[in-house]
Amino acid sequence: MTLGAEDRMAVMELIALHGHLVDDGELDRLDELFTADVVYDASDLGHGSMHGLEALRDTARSMGGHGPVSHHVTNIVLTEAGEGRVHARSKGFGIKADGTSGSVSYEDVIVRGGTGWRISRRKVAVRGTPSGTQKRSG
């Protein structure tokens, strides 16, 4: 499979849309981002691994005002992984209401289905150690 420019742009826009929907509280639209059976591993953030859209929505709602008010994503790198499948690495940072911030890395598996590209697996890794001292996990 060759990932053409149109597909690359669609996948990058998919990744970028996450912050907009979450920040705007549009959790009912998460099916525009994720597969119904998504595995969302936020263990590094203390939320464990969520399986499915409803578990993801429930966790987001349970955070209330404790999560970031602004999510940003950058440094997106896409790697083809077979027919209709892409691996994406990106970096994110979030700003909380009190002005504090945090940084994460996202490791995504993105698949093409009948409704377009969707994230089927996301691993969120907290970035809290200076460069060169943290080994990348699996």
Side-chain angles (χ1 to χ4, degrees):
M1 169 189 162
T2 300
L3 192 64
E6 187 174 310
D7 283 324
R8 284 186 175 278
M9 184 60 71
V11 169
M12 292 173 76
E13 286 185 8
L14 173 76
I15 293 169
L17 182 59
H18 172 260
H20 292 284
L21 294 184
V22 172
D23 293 348
D24 293 343
E26 296 188 65
L27 301 178
D28 58 325
R29 293 180 57 196
L30 291 183
D31 62 332
E32 295 177 30
L33 303 174
F34 300 103
T35 60
D37 61 349
V38 64
V39 175
Y40 195 106
D41 184 353
S43 299
D44 279 9
L45 299 172
H47 301 295
S49 187
M50 293 148 274
H51 299 262
L53 285 173
E54 282 310 308
L56 185 53
R57 285 183 183 112
D58 290 346
T59 300
R61 287 182 187 116
S62 74
M63 291 177 64
H66 298 290
V69 296
S70 183
H71 292 77
H72 303 272
V73 67
T74 186
N75 298 52
I76 301 169
V77 178
L78 305 179
T79 306
E80 298 174 29
E83 188 62 35
R85 186 177 170 100
V86 174
H87 289 166
R89 288 184 70 201
S90 58
K91 295 183 179 279
F93 60 95
I95 311 293
K96 291 190 171 190
D98 66 2
T100 59
S101 63
S103 179
V104 298
S105 292
Y106 295 114
E107 297 279 344
D108 296 332
V109 176
I110 302 170
V111 296
R112 182 178 23 218
T115 56
W117 292 98
R118 298 293 185 270
I119 300 168
S120 66
R121 178 165 179 79
R122 172 168 275 183
K123 165 78 173 142
V124 183
V126 172
R127 303 292 303 178
T129 305
S131 179
T133 61
Q134 182 177 25
K135 288 189 177 181
R136 186 173 156 221
S137 62

